Amino acid sequence: MRLHRLEVEGFGPFRARQSVDFDAFADDGIFLIAGRTGAGKSSILDAVCFGLYGGVPRYDGGEKRLRSDHSEPDDPSEVVVEFSTPAGRFRVTRSPEYLRPAKRGGGLTKQASAVALDEWTDAGWIGRAARAVDVANELEEILQLSREQFLQVILLAQNRFSEFLLANSKDRQALLRRLFGTQRFEDVQARFDERRRAAEQALGARVASVTARVEEAERLVDEAELWGESSEEPVATDAVPRGDASIEDRLADLRRAQARAEYRSERRASEREDAERRSAAADTALSAAREEQRDQAERDRARAALARLDAEEPAIVQARAELADARAAESIRGVLTAAERAEVALAGAGAIAQRAQAAWDAFDIEAEDLEDWAAERTRATGAWERALELEQQAETLADDLQAAETAVAVIGARLEEREDERAALPAQTTALTAQRDDARRRADRAADLRMALDQAQARAAAVLEVARLEAEQIAAEQDLASASAEHATAQTTLAQLRKRRLDGFAGELASVLADGDPCPVCGSHEHPALAAHADPVTADDVAAAEQTRDDAAARERAASQKASELRAELAVATARADGRSRSQAEAEVATVTAEHADSVAAAEESRALDARLRELAERAEGLEQDRAADLAALATAREQQAVLTQRRADAQALIAEARGDAPTVAERLAEATAQVAAARALAGALAERRRREAAVEETRAEQEAALASSPFADAAAVHQALRSAAALEALDARITAHAVQREKERAILFELELRTLPEEPIDLSPAEAASTTARAAWSRAVDDAARAAGIVERLDGLIASAAAEHARTAAQTAEFDVLRGLADTIAGRGSNTRKMTLETFVLAAELEEIVEAANRRLGDMSTGRYQLRHSDALAARGAASGLGIVVFDAFTGQTRPAQSLSGGETFLSSLALALGLAEVVTARAGGIRLDTLFIDEGFGSLDGDTLDIAMRTLDELRQGGRTVGVISHVEAMQEQIPAQLTVRATPEGPSVVESR
């Protein structure tokens, strides 16, 4: 991979667009990125990493302050990286997320991050992807390096250079895992552990299942007493202790007990069959005795019933005679009834004739023929009926005439009232139209006032936010100052401890020397002047101080992040407040709120006025229609009034003629009607009485003839013999039931008398007792047989399943032992004496290659004194081990920790290890070619000779066309590297990039 060009704008310390042409340094092979501290040298590498991977390593875990603080709100932020691989030439354009001015409504809005990937072809640049996920997938395939690998093999970032050398095994494992992707081996270990646990649980469950089934079978044998101790069993053996016996022995004992249970089950089944036969015989005898007892009781009942029926025979004979008389009387009932009815009718007709005669005599009228007189009077009253109707309607006719006169007056008044209202409508319409137009003008300002109200409210909220943020910013700045002081103090303390630690190495070495032992420094066996260990500082002390320093640094970063966020928020809030004070903002909100409310009310008022105008127009139209209708109604009412006046005059003349001398037509007509009715009633009553007298004579003759032909002497005897229909039916049913029951009882008694049953009552007690005893014995035999069969069945199932499970347990135990040994070995347990996991073992092999590649350069860089070696020694107190790195010192012939190297030695060793790591990672990534390499590390810790060695090493790296970029502000390097890229901070604040 080779970088060709970098463009940054609005990123880090760079506000204006800065361009870096890496191809310009291809001939030199090595170039220096120089500049004052804080100018932004490392930001160039940050831009490269951000462009390719969307992140910056030194911002991991903290605030991603990628956008330049020098940028104006409208300024863009963008990074463009152009590079090539064997797959082609590509360009990545990426922008971070930041705040920009909103296009509408004022204030700021969030500008989303963006990225695009282009490829150079014969036709120029063409787009390959424009979504973040698509670009990431494309770059992963093109670069074939993850971000962690990129930072280790191409961009050796600041503060990460010596991290790999000085890390402990656990941290080094985490880094190597990310670089070589060995997480799968840890997954393999986890899967094996899970399989071991599952197998152990399955084996334990199966063993427990076998034991539980055996114990259940033994408990069943104990309860059934099947251990051979009963005298009734065919096999008698001594009891065998079962507490510590093996499963096989316990199963053998259970099988012998099972044989005894089967023998017992067979005996119980035979006993059940015998008891069943005895119970059936007893039940049969009991059924026969009960049958004879029932027949004996039925015979006695039939004898008693027949005797009772014989005693009832005289009463039945009397009932037959009564039934015969009743039927004879019933044959002449109709003749007697007809005669009685005729007598009653005659008496009634005579009474009616007497009342009708009295009513007619009351009128004192002489008439020879009543019917003729009534007809003549009826014809005379026919002409008075019309006069009666008119007399009855006279009051209604007067009311109708009065109503017609009132209607004429009301319609005339209504016409005058509506004419006045119609004349007033034009003036009302004009006034409402003026009010409507004024309301519309005020309502038209609602949208503008709503926008003005939103802006005023936003400014008022921003004013409050500014006050709050200013107070929080003051507190945050104080916290930042306090955190910075704590960080500086912790850094000073750590430096002092490291110096004391280095100064006390001689005393620490002397404290473990014994007489006669060789000195690990000079090799001498004599130690005449041992150094005193007066101010001991342990590695734990240094580690604790480093932790304290790191914690303080984290708090400082958090405080700085919070202060920066508050400054940005305060700037945004101040811009939104637009220079208003709190009182000004609140006054603006109140004024605009009132105006907006009036405008909204005016809109509602305008709609109400429009509705009112429509109502007036509709009212005018309605009044015109009502005027035409009222005129027509007035003409109709006047016409009705004239007609009713004429009808009233005609009716009064006709009524006077029909009334005569009577007070009213109704009274004269009522009197005539009563006279006619009395005449006709008397004539009818006299005719009816004559008809009834003839009917009485006829029925008397029929009655005398019927009595003469019947067995009865007179009508009184007939009435005495008569019976109701229900009584006749009851007599007939009584006689018939007596005859049927007598024949039935005689038939039953005849059959039972033939069986010669005993006269004494039959006793069932002996047969019932025998049956109960036999059934109880059978029930016990059934229970015993079922219990014995159930024991046999349960024992058979328990023994068979326990034996089968036990057979499978042996094979499963062997498989579990193999799996447990393999899982323990992979996880660093058991016989794994080095306590190395599978992943650690794989990474140890990679680390050996890395150390071997590093030593090829470290030997030259240290003039043959130092070599790095992989250490798999066990760490103290069970800490992670297997990935240790120690330094072999050829001067002493001993190995020592990498932390014991001086600053310059640490730098050379770290550089050699980083380059070796880069070679191995490159090889693992498919052997990709690295044509560009950046090193961002402090060369200021090297003396002149060591710096020359480092420069020779860097010079070797550019062999084969590789371009190496070095970040440093060391003047000696500026003199030795002519090709330079200078980052300079301008007086205004932003930095610029200059090439030479």
Side-chain angles (χ1 to χ4, degrees):
M1 173 189 174
R2 177 182 293 276
L3 292 176
H4 297 287
R5 187 175 183 81
L6 172 68
E7 295 182 4
V8 294
E9 182 178 5
F11 182 89
F14 309 111
R15 174 185 175 184
R17 181 171 290 268
Q18 305 295 316
S19 299
V20 178
D21 186 4
F22 295 114
D23 289 339
F25 304 113
D27 294 337
D28 295 295
I30 185 170
F31 65 95
L32 177 68
I33 302 176
R36 296 176 62 86
T37 301
K41 301 184 295 296
S42 298
S43 295
I44 294 179
L45 304 189
D46 291 343
V48 173
C49 187
F50 173 74
L52 295 177
Y53 295 97
V56 177
R58 58 174 168 169
Y59 287 153
D60 287 348
E63 180 187 10
K64 298 180 179 180
R65 296 292 300 275
L66 302 178
R67 178 171 168 82
S68 176
D69 292 338
H70 304 291
S71 297
E72 295 295 332
D74 291 328
D75 292 342
S77 290
E78 184 179 77
V79 172
V80 181
V81 180
E82 188 177 332
F83 66 95
S84 62
T85 68
R89 186 160 180 161
F90 304 93
R91 181 179 66 190
V92 181
T93 303
R94 193 184 297 269
S95 298
E97 182 183 273
Y98 62 92
L99 296 176
R100 61 168 177 78
K103 296 181 179 179
R104 293 190 300 271
L108 299 178
T109 187
K110 184 180 291 186
Q111 175 66 43
S113 59
V115 63
L117 175 64
D118 301 323
E119 182 179 7
W120 178 260
T121 63
D122 294 339
W125 292 106
I126 61 172
R128 285 191 57 167
R131 292 196 313 151
V133 62
D134 297 334
V135 171
N137 293 334
E138 293 284 348
L139 288 177
E140 181 179 2
E141 182 178 355
I142 294 170
L143 297 175
Q144 300 183 18
L145 290 173
S146 65
R147 196 186 80 160
E148 291 295 337
Q149 292 174 331
F150 180 81
L151 295 176
Q152 288 293 336
V153 303
I154 293 180
L155 196 157
L156 305 183
Q158 190 174 5
N159 297 326
R160 299 168 65 98
F161 202 67
S162 60
E163 176 183 335
F164 188 62
L165 174 66
L166 301 179
N168 56 32
S169 291
K170 181 179 180 181
D171 295 337
R172 190 175 290 117
Q173 179 179 359
L175 177 60
L176 291 174
R177 175 188 296 168
R178 293 195 299 269
L179 292 176
F180 294 103
T182 57
Q183 179 69 34
R184 63 187 184 279
F185 295 104
E186 185 177 14
D187 296 339
V188 170
Q189 174 186 336
R191 288 197 296 272
F192 268 97
D193 283 340
E194 182 63 27
R195 287 180 58 190
R196 178 188 62 78
R197 286 191 295 270
E200 185 176 7
Q201 293 175 357
L203 180 60
R206 177 159 289 175
V207 171
S209 175
V210 172
T211 303
R213 293 175 185 179
V214 170
E215 290 176 351
E216 175 65 15
E218 290 174 347
R219 184 191 62 78
L220 188 60
V221 171
D222 285 336
E223 293 177 354
E225 300 179 355
L226 293 172
W227 293 116
E229 299 170 357
S230 177
S231 60
E232 68 179 2
E233 307 300 340
V235 180
T237 60
D238 295 335
V240 179
R242 299 181 297 276
D244 299 328
S246 65
I247 295 295
E248 291 81 1
D249 294 339
R250 294 168 74 179
L251 286 173
D253 291 342
L254 288 173
R255 291 190 180 96
R256 287 190 289 273
Q258 182 184 11
R260 299 186 189 97
E262 291 173 351
Y263 173 74
R264 179 182 294 178
S265 177
E266 292 174 359
R267 286 194 56 186
R268 297 294 183 266
S270 177
E271 294 172 355
R272 180 196 62 199
E273 293 174 357
D274 293 341
E276 186 176 1
R277 285 193 295 272
R278 288 192 294 271
S279 177
D283 289 343
T284 301
L286 178 60
S287 297
R290 286 175 175 169
E291 181 68 24
E292 286 188 356
Q293 186 186 50
R294 285 194 296 271
D295 291 343
Q296 187 184 54
E298 181 65 14
R299 181 200 65 187
D300 295 341
R301 187 202 62 77
R303 287 176 177 176
L306 190 59
R308 186 179 65 254
L309 291 172
D310 290 341
E312 293 175 356
E313 184 62 27
I316 295 301
V317 172
Q318 183 179 357
R320 290 194 186 98
E322 183 181 355
L323 179 62
D325 290 343
R327 286 176 175 171
E330 188 68 28
S331 63
I332 62 175
R333 179 196 291 268
V335 175
L336 296 179
T337 302
E340 293 172 354
R341 288 176 178 173
E343 293 287 348
V344 172
L346 176 59
I352 292 173
Q354 290 177 1
R355 289 195 296 271
Q357 184 65 49
W360 172 251
D361 292 342
F363 290 112
D364 193 20
I365 298 175
E366 296 293 336
E368 294 181 0
D369 190 342
L370 294 174
E371 290 292 343
D372 293 341
W373 185 89
E376 180 64 26
R377 178 62 69 172
T378 300
R379 284 194 295 274
T381 59
W384 302 343
E385 293 290 341
R386 175 60 183 162
L388 176 61
E389 293 179 2
L390 292 176
E391 184 182 54
Q392 292 174 346
Q393 297 173 357
E395 185 176 354
T396 302
L397 183 61
D399 293 340
D400 291 343
L401 181 59
Q402 180 63 36
E405 294 173 351
T406 302
V408 171
V410 169
I411 294 173
R414 189 167 63 236
L415 275 171
E416 294 178 0
E417 180 182 353
R418 288 177 175 172
E419 186 63 26
D420 294 341
E421 182 181 359
R422 191 166 64 88
L425 285 179
Q428 295 179 13
T429 302
T430 302
L432 288 176
T433 301
Q435 294 177 15
R436 190 267 318 271
D437 294 342
D438 179 66
R440 282 181 176 178
R441 285 192 297 272
R442 287 186 287 123
D444 290 341
R445 300 182 58 209
D448 295 337
L449 289 173
R450 177 71 261 182
M451 183 179 298
L453 178 58
D454 291 341
Q455 293 174 352
Q457 290 175 340
R459 285 193 295 270
V463 169
L464 297 177
E465 185 72 5
V466 167
R468 182 185 65 81
L469 291 174
E470 285 177 347
E472 292 183 3
Q473 184 187 14
I474 293 173
E477 294 293 345
Q478 292 174 352
D479 293 343
L480 176 59
S482 176
S484 298
E486 291 178 4
H487 184 203
T489 301
Q491 185 68 35
T492 303
T493 302
L494 176 62
Q496 292 173 353
L497 285 175
R498 285 177 174 171
K499 184 176 183 303
R500 289 167 56 195
R501 170 75 171 162
L502 293 174
D503 293 343
F505 273 156
E508 184 177 344
L509 179 61
S511 65
V512 297
L513 284 177
D515 292 338
D517 292 340
C519 176
V521 178
C522 63
S524 174
H525 291 272
E526 295 179 358
H527 318 297
L530 293 176
H533 197 193
D535 189 15
V537 176
T538 65
D540 292 338
D541 295 337
V542 175
E546 289 177 345
Q547 184 61 44
T548 302
R549 186 271 316 272
D550 294 341
D551 293 343
R555 288 193 295 272
E556 183 184 21
R557 287 195 299 272
S560 176
Q561 177 181 354
K562 182 176 181 181
S564 300
E565 291 175 351
L566 288 173
R567 283 195 296 271
E569 292 178 6
L570 180 59
V572 172
T574 302
R576 290 171 57 193
D578 198 17
R580 264 55 165 196
S581 65
R582 181 171 182 176
S583 59
Q584 291 174 334
E586 292 176 348
E588 285 183 356
V589 171
T591 301
V592 178
T593 300
E595 294 178 353
H596 179 260
D598 178 70
S599 179
V600 172
E604 185 64 27
E605 181 184 356
S606 174
R607 288 190 290 271
L609 291 172
D610 282 335
R612 180 61 181 155
L613 285 171
R614 288 192 297 273
E615 291 176 358
L616 288 179
E618 293 172 357
R619 182 59 181 163
E621 183 178 355
L623 287 174
E624 189 64 32
Q625 295 174 354
D626 292 343
R627 180 173 180 275
D630 287 343
L631 290 174
L634 181 59
T636 302
R638 288 174 176 171
E639 182 180 355
Q640 182 69 15
Q641 181 183 10
V643 170
L644 291 174
T645 301
Q646 182 61 41
R647 285 177 58 191
R648 183 180 182 185
D650 295 342
Q652 288 176 348
L654 184 60
I655 290 170
E657 180 182 356
R659 185 169 58 238
D661 297 333
T664 63
V665 176
E667 291 180 0
R668 186 179 184 188
L669 184 61
E671 182 181 10
T673 301
Q675 292 172 354
V676 170
R680 287 178 176 174
L682 179 58
L686 294 174
E688 180 65 19
R689 185 174 61 183
R690 290 190 294 273
R691 287 194 301 272
R692 294 301 179 184
E693 288 173 349
V696 167
E697 293 297 330
E698 183 180 356
T699 56
R700 284 176 180 172
E702 291 178 356
Q703 178 178 341
E704 292 175 357
L707 288 173
S709 62
S710 71
F712 302 104
D714 53 20
V718 175
H719 285 296
Q720 185 177 2
L722 285 172
R723 296 290 183 271
S724 65
L728 290 173
E729 185 177 354
L731 287 171
D732 186 58
R734 179 184 175 190
I735 294 168
T736 302
H738 181 273
V740 171
Q741 186 65 24
R742 181 181 178 83
E743 291 300 322
K744 177 181 177 183
E745 295 297 341
R746 289 181 64 188
I748 293 173
L749 182 60
F750 178 75
E751 182 180 355
L752 292 176
E753 292 289 359
L754 292 177
R755 295 184 59 183
T756 64
L757 296 171
E759 295 298 329
E760 295 296 329
I762 298 174
D763 186 8
L764 296 179
S765 299
E768 289 177 346
S771 177
T772 301
T773 302
R775 181 169 293 277
W778 172 74
S779 179
R780 288 193 299 273
V782 169
D783 292 341
D784 293 342
R787 188 161 44 251
I791 291 173
V792 171
E793 183 179 358
R794 291 175 62 191
L795 276 177
D796 182 65
L798 289 172
I799 293 172
S801 61
E805 286 293 312
H806 182 62
R808 287 191 288 269
T809 300
Q812 189 172 357
T813 301
E815 294 177 1
F816 172 71
D817 291 339
V818 174
L819 180 60
R820 178 177 57 186
L822 183 57
D824 289 344
T825 301
I826 291 175
R829 298 186 298 264
S831 59
N832 188 337
T833 57
R834 293 294 180 181
K835 306 300 181 184
M836 294 176 62
T837 64
L838 177 62
E839 182 186 20
T840 305
F841 179 78
V842 173
L843 292 178
E846 300 289 355
L847 183 59
E848 289 179 352
E849 291 192 29
I850 294 170
V851 169
E852 182 181 356
N855 285 333
R856 287 195 291 269
R857 289 188 174 85
L858 183 58
D860 295 337
M861 296 166 67
S862 64
T863 62
R865 179 177 179 181
Y866 295 116
Q867 279 191 344
L868 301 177
R869 291 187 179 178
H870 163 239
S871 174
D872 57 3
L874 290 175
R877 295 185 293 276
S881 58
L883 296 176
I885 295 179
V886 296
V887 180
F888 175 76
D889 191 342
F891 288 2
T892 64
Q894 302 290 326
T895 60
R896 54 193 175 108
Q899 289 81 359
S900 65
L901 297 174
S902 66
E905 292 170 342
T906 299
F907 172 77
L908 294 179
S909 300
S910 299
L911 178 60
L913 186 63
L915 296 175
L917 177 62
E919 291 182 6
V920 175
V921 170
T922 301
R924 292 293 182 272
I928 62 175
R929 179 178 175 82
L930 304 178
D931 295 320
T932 304
L933 178 67
F934 293 95
I935 300 176
D936 183 4
E937 185 58 37
F939 290 84
S941 60
L942 306 181
D943 56 27
D945 295 337
T946 307
L947 181 60
D948 291 338
I949 294 173
M951 288 300 301
R952 287 199 301 272
T953 302
L954 296 176
D955 190 62
E956 293 174 358
L957 294 177
R958 62 180 180 174
Q959 295 178 0
R962 179 183 295 170
T963 302
V964 180
V966 180
I967 296 179
S968 179
H969 57 270
V970 178
E971 294 182 358
M973 297 191 70
Q974 296 180 12
E975 296 174 357
Q976 296 184 37
I977 302 176
Q980 296 183 9
L981 194 67
T982 303
V983 180
R984 178 176 59 83
T986 63
E988 293 80 12
S991 297
V992 295
V993 180
E994 300 172 346
S995 301
R996 67 175 185 176

